[in-house]
Amino acid sequence: MSNMIDQLNGVFPSVCSLDCPDQCGLLLHKQDGKIVKIEGDPSHPITQGAICNKVRNMTARIYDEQRLKYPLKRVGPKGEGSRFERISWEEAVSTITANWQRLIAEEGSESILPYSFYGNMGRIGTEGMDRRFFNRMGASRLLYTICQSAGTEGYAYTMGGSYGIDPEDTVDAKLIIMWGINAVSTNMHQVVLAEKARKNGAQIVVIDVHKNQTGRWADWFIPILPGTDGALALGIMHILFAEQIVDEAFLSQYTVGHEELRQHVRQYEPAVVSAITGVPVEDIYRLARLYGQTTPSFIRIGNGPQHHDNGGMTVRTIACLPALTGQWLHHGGGAIKGNGGFLDINTAALQRPDLLAKPTREINMIQLGSALLELDPPIRSLYVYNSNPAVVAPEANKVREGLQREDLFTVVHDLFLTETAMYADIVLPATSSYENTDLYKSYWHHYVQIQQPVIAPYEESKANTEVFRLLAQAMGYEEQALKDSDEEMIRQSLNYPRNPYLEGISLEGLQETQFAKAKITPLMASPLKTPSGKIELISEQMEKLGYPPLPTYTSLIDDGDYPFLFVPAPNHNFLNSTFSNNEKHVRMEKAPKLHMNASDAAALGLASGDMARVWNARGECELIVSAGEDVLPGVVVSQGLWADAPGRKALVNALTPDRVADMGGGATFFSGRVQVEKV
Ligand SMILES: Nc1nc2c(c(=O)[nH]1)N[C@H]1C(S)=C(S)[C@@H](COP(=O)(O)OP(=O)(O)OC[C@H]3O[C@@H](n4cnc5c(=O)[nH]c(N)nc54)[C@H](O)[C@@H]3O)O[C@H]1N2
Ligand SMILES: Nc1nc2c(c(=O)[nH]1)N[C@H]1C(S)=C(S)[C@@H](COP(=O)(O)OP(=O)(O)OC[C@H]3O[C@@H](n4cnc5c(=O)[nH]c(N)nc54)[C@H](O)[C@@H]3O)O[C@H]1N2
Ligand code: SF4
Ligand SMILES: [Mo]
């Protein structure tokens, strides 16, 4: 399969690079050197030939007329409607490095900030040459908090790290709870596996603030008020202990703190929990008994409960549930929040933190706006790649005000002239993942995969690793680590004896087989990575850090005197802001909507189809009302991160808070309050 680029026709294996748990195996069909069709790889055990609509239509994005072809420099004012001129790579690189050298001499290397996320999940392109480069430079360091950090920390207090069950085992579950995950849109192969379980008699419960496509697919949909899931989980525990439907043998052998927890959850009586969550008392009983009496039961914990002020503790709390009924010992029972821990690679070898001479300041990526506007000493240069912060980051108006600063030298490396790129001084064209070599590891299933280039770089575009090698050379950085090839970096990452699950997985092997499953052993067969080695229902570690040691419900932070909680969630046809600028995907998604309860809409004189202005002190946007019974009164839900477009004012992140969640520096996208009125 070496040199697939030169083969003008044929079908070639690939992997989906998007930030999606499914990380599908793909087959790319080429005709005359171009990709003409993308389908799921039937031989991939998870994908089994089926992929989402977004990626089936990905060729429209790869060959979109708007794709960046060569480097650009800005010639108009910063921001919306800016203008750019073509320049050479030489000029782009020398402009960037001349600015950086001057800044480093005058203000120090911490005046430079890299900003990135997982627009492409390839490890060496997102956590490889880039990290080496900025470590060597001594730039300010970004905290990668925008997605799952609060819940990941919370889950780890209970379970010791990102370890759940093998999703392939969930076909054997008899009860599946999708908890705050819109899996039909965001984790479609978990839905496929759940469908198989359902054919064998499993029931599917969905707990969500919005009866979206996933709620409609459920056997039982439980609507809940945003940010109250921790209380519901504690109410379930209350009933499980009170009715003695717990597995005492499991609790004694595999957990610490079950006696303390038993006492502690007495306060979470169903009536109390019902008043907090909006879930009727009889439904809390029904859910607790169903959960207590069904084995194996599986909980898929999504990002919904986590993008709140109390997100870390909420996930930590839900993660305690499977232990109460001993689910972790039953094939198909347990939970998945994330499974990244099993596929840990050698990040020290990949990222080379040793190249950082001394620790530099850390900047939370969800507070980019205030970082740009308020930090002292200031950030003078921003280098953005794999991310579109002008759309995806909270407090978008602050972000854009910061990007507008005339004394900020901004570089954006992307496939498109994104909203963020409109503020750049220099724009660099990026290759698509199908043009690159990279290593992929899922955060849900247990497969490691490889991408080898299938098509030549589009016009003058370059991969992230290539750009950082060029920048390193121009900066005069001599370290071999900044010259390593993509293949060398993959080898270094996989060479990690500390993770026995990866044993036998190598670059050469992946080049042969395209994907390989890690050698996973049952979770309870060896001590967990918690301080006690057991499931920690009580956590001394948390107590030391100032958290309640037992799972505890705390309410959302007061976000001002606005009547509605606003949940701006992802949508079906985009992936975060990716695809929101591609005509085909926008057409499939139609228009940005605001789902609200019919009673709330009526009180405001709004009907479905009306344009509503949604606002708070942070900003405003306009969305089309969809009134009905899909959300509870007092809650409004939007879907999708929409690109800027003429006549559309759908920047939902103009309204979201940049408050930091209780754990992990995490984002609180869903804890904001808003007012709604007719336009
Ligand atoms: N099609 C598509 N797929 C995607 C993405 C995309 O944008 N589009 N994004 C990808 C990324 S980066 C991620 S992190 C994942 C995220 O995917 P998910 O884990 O599904 O997370 P979200 O879509 O953010 O939210 C899931 C659900 O939580 C609900 N929710 C919000 N607040 C609460 C709450 O307090 N309690 C409960 N119970 N539910 C709540 C929302 O209504 C939504 O239905 O999906 C990935 N896959
Ligand atoms: N309101 C609200 N906001 C949210 C969320 C939400 O649920 N609600 N979800 C949050 C979550 S979970 C996440 S993960 C973030 C995601 O935020 P981002 O990571 O910023 O995700 P995208 O919007 O997909 O932007 C990725 C960008 O990377 C570019 N890109 C793709 N491949 C490459 C490459 O190889 N090289 C370079 N240089 N660029 C590339 C794409 O073209 C795209 O412009 O958004 C967060 N924002
Ligand atoms: S976005 Fe997700 S479901 Fe779609 S092809 Fe990629 S990995 Fe598969
Ligand atoms: Mo995410």
Side-chain angles (χ1 to χ4, degrees):
M1 277 295 170
S2 70
N3 231 338
M4 295 184 281
I5 296 176
D6 294 341
Q7 302 179 45
L8 296 182
N9 298 290
V11 180
F12 304 94
S14 173
V15 46
C16 179
S17 64
L18 297 174
D19 187 351
C20 169
D22 299 51
Q23 197 151 97
C24 289
L26 305 178
L27 293 180
L28 307 183
H29 295 247
K30 270 177 80 175
Q31 253 171 39
D32 304 327
K34 275 185 119 182
I35 299 170
V36 291
K37 184 177 162 189
I38 301 179
E39 62 178 354
D41 183 348
S43 76
H44 189 287
I46 301 276
T47 306
Q48 300 202 353
I51 57 167
C52 66
N53 220 18
K54 307 182 285 296
V55 172
R56 264 189 285 122
N57 287 293
M58 183 88 165
T59 48
R61 182 171 167 88
I62 301 300
Y63 298 110
D64 191 304
E65 250 316 295
Q66 304 292 317
R67 209 176 138 182
L68 290 168
K69 298 186 174 69
Y70 26 72
L72 302 170
K73 75 171 175 201
R74 187 171 49 79
V75 291
K78 287 191 180 195
E80 244 181 284
S82 180
R83 283 178 307 114
F84 294 87
E85 243 170 38
R86 178 178 187 171
I87 55 171
S88 67
W89 268 99
E90 256 173 7
E91 183 182 342
V93 168
S94 63
T95 308
I96 296 168
T97 53
N99 269 287
W100 284 351
Q101 262 146 354
R102 177 183 53 80
L103 281 173
I104 291 168
E106 289 171 6
E107 308 198 25
S109 53
E110 282 175 285
S111 62
I112 300 164
L113 176 70
Y115 194 97
S116 69
F117 208 62
Y118 292 90
N120 176 343
M121 293 287 293
R123 289 295 141 171
I124 65 166
T126 57
E127 302 180 351
M129 200 48 91
D130 51 331
R131 306 289 174 104
R132 294 178 182 190
F133 177 83
F134 288 113
N135 282 335
R136 166 66 181 80
M137 173 186 273
S140 286
R141 286 176 295 163
L142 193 73
L143 296 175
Y144 299 87
T145 52
I146 204 164
C147 179
Q148 41 61 35
S149 62
T152 296
E153 182 173 333
Y155 186 89
Y157 288 129
T158 305
M159 295 301 295
S162 294
Y163 304 98
I165 65 169
D166 184 338
E168 291 173 89
D169 292 350
T170 62
V171 294
D172 291 329
K174 292 292 177 225
L175 172 66
I176 294 180
I177 302 180
M178 299 282 186
W179 202 320
I181 181 166
N182 182 8
V184 169
S185 295
T186 63
N187 189 190
M188 64 171 275
H189 295 89
Q190 183 63 75
V191 171
V192 173
L193 294 163
E195 274 299 323
K196 287 190 179 149
R198 187 188 243 170
K199 288 214 173 70
N200 293 324
Q203 282 189 69
I204 294 164
V205 175
V206 169
I207 305 171
D208 203 295
V209 303
H210 179 205
K211 191 168 187 181
N212 52 33
Q213 46 276 48
T214 305
R216 290 195 292 275
W217 161 77
D219 297 310
W220 182 20
F221 174 72
I222 304 176
I224 188 168
L225 289 169
T228 67
D229 303 82
L232 180 61
L234 289 157
I236 296 172
M237 293 182 207
H238 172 98
I239 297 168
L240 293 176
F241 278 118
E243 302 193 350
Q244 293 169 23
I245 30 183
V246 292
D247 183 338
E248 298 288 355
F250 183 91
L251 286 172
S252 316
Q253 193 178 344
Y254 294 102
T255 74
V256 293
H258 48 280
E259 286 316 317
E260 292 90 336
L261 185 67
R262 200 187 306 262
Q263 298 306 318
H264 171 74
V265 298
R266 287 205 174 137
Q267 62 188 296
Y268 296 100
E269 285 177 17
V272 173
V273 169
S274 177
I276 298 170
T277 59
V279 181
V281 168
E282 55 278 18
D283 285 347
I284 301 173
Y285 274 109
R286 183 178 152 207
L287 177 62
R289 289 171 186 154
L290 181 67
Y291 188 70
Q293 289 159 0
T294 315
T295 291
S297 66
F298 165 63
I299 305 176
R300 179 75 175 96
I301 308 171
N303 250 10
Q306 182 217 220
H307 275 164
H308 282 290
D309 295 310
N310 57 11
M313 184 58 107
T314 301
V315 173
R316 183 268 193 280
T317 303
I318 298 171
C320 291
L321 279 171
L324 267 67
T325 62
Q327 288 307 308
W328 295 106
L329 293 183
H330 300 281
H331 190 86
I336 301 177
K337 157 70 173 75
N339 266 332
F342 290 110
L343 302 181
D344 269 345
I345 53 175
N346 192 340
T347 48
L350 179 61
Q351 303 182 7
R352 297 296 300 273
D354 57 295
L355 293 174
L356 185 69
K358 62 174 188 352
T360 51
R361 66 178 167 182
E362 294 181 316
I363 292 169
N364 189 330
M365 71 184 296
I366 65 163
Q367 296 178 321
L368 178 63
S370 37
L372 291 177
L373 292 172
E374 290 157 26
L375 268 188
D376 187 27
I379 296 162
R380 292 279 187 211
S381 178
L382 188 69
Y383 184 96
V384 181
Y385 58 107
N386 286 350
S387 185
N388 186 12
V391 175
V392 307
E395 285 264 25
N397 289 334
K398 263 209 264 180
V399 172
R400 290 178 183 211
E401 197 187 326
L403 290 170
Q404 191 83 54
R405 265 177 45 202
E406 278 309 320
D407 64 338
L408 181 74
F409 175 71
T410 300
V411 182
V412 174
H413 184 209
D414 203 297
L415 287 80
F416 290 90
L417 202 56
T418 59
E419 290 73 9
T420 311
M422 295 308 276
Y423 294 86
D425 296 280
I426 302 285
V427 178
L428 304 173
T431 44
S432 77
S433 62
Y434 308 135
E435 296 152 43
N436 297 342
T437 300
D438 216 321
L439 176 72
Y440 291 83
K441 63 188 196 88
S442 167
Y443 50 88
W444 170 65
H445 62 61
H446 292 328
Y447 294 83
V448 179
Q449 304 177 73
I450 195 168
Q451 175 72 56
Q452 297 173 270
V454 175
I455 48 173
Y458 181 74
E459 301 286 338
E460 290 188 12
S461 63
K462 292 189 192 297
N464 297 357
T465 51
E466 185 56 25
V467 175
F468 284 106
R469 278 188 287 259
L470 281 177
L471 291 171
Q473 193 186 17
M475 290 294 288
Y477 298 161
E478 288 299 328
E479 289 78 1
Q480 177 54 40
L482 296 164
K483 299 175 184 164
D484 284 347
S485 70
D486 295 345
E487 286 78 9
E488 279 163 335
M489 281 192 283
I490 294 178
R491 263 193 216 101
Q492 293 154 2
S493 311
L494 289 172
N495 180 6
Y496 196 39
R498 278 178 58 188
N499 182 1
Y501 303 126
L502 281 188
E503 200 192 304
I505 299 182
S506 67
L507 171 68
E508 288 70 21
L510 288 172
Q511 285 171 335
E512 260 327 287
T513 61
Q514 184 64 27
F515 51 82
K517 189 171 187 178
K519 293 190 182 60
I520 307 299
T521 49
L523 199 53
M524 292 297 142
S526 40
L528 297 182
K529 291 198 167 73
T530 53
S532 63
K534 297 187 175 190
I535 297 173
E536 299 208 338
L537 304 175
I538 194 166
S539 164
E540 275 178 32
Q541 196 187 358
M542 290 179 76
E543 188 160 37
K544 280 191 201 122
L545 292 167
Y547 298 110
L550 287 158
T552 301
Y553 168 71
T554 52
S555 54
L556 300 182
I557 287 166
D558 178 8
D559 191 54
D561 201 10
Y562 301 96
F564 298 100
L565 255 169
F566 178 46
V567 177
N571 65 7
H572 192 73
N573 293 297
F574 306 163
L575 203 131
N576 302 315
S577 79
T578 297
F579 299 118
S580 71
N581 60 336
N582 300 119
E583 210 196 308
K584 198 161 188 179
H585 294 76
V586 172
R587 236 185 297 126
M588 294 192 292
E589 196 60 41
K590 299 192 181 82
K593 287 195 190 135
L594 185 73
H595 300 272
M596 63 192 304
N597 192 276
S599 62
D600 287 334
L604 294 167
L606 285 164
S608 290
D610 287 350
M611 185 63 88
R613 176 171 170 260
V614 188
W615 59 275
N616 59 22
R618 290 179 286 265
E620 62 174 46
C621 68
E622 290 180 4
L623 303 164
I624 298 165
V625 171
S626 171
E629 299 305 319
D630 291 345
V631 293
L632 294 172
V635 181
V636 291
V637 176
S638 70
Q639 290 189 314
L641 301 176
W642 292 74
D644 292 358
R648 189 201 292 148
K649 290 197 230 160
L651 181 63
V652 292
N653 275 324
L655 286 83
T656 52
D658 67 355
R659 279 199 304 276
V660 169
D662 56 346
M663 292 178 196
T668 56
F669 289 111
F670 302 159
S671 289
R673 300 193 73 87
V674 297
Q675 177 60 284
V676 178
E677 65 191 17
K678 198 165 176 165
V679 173

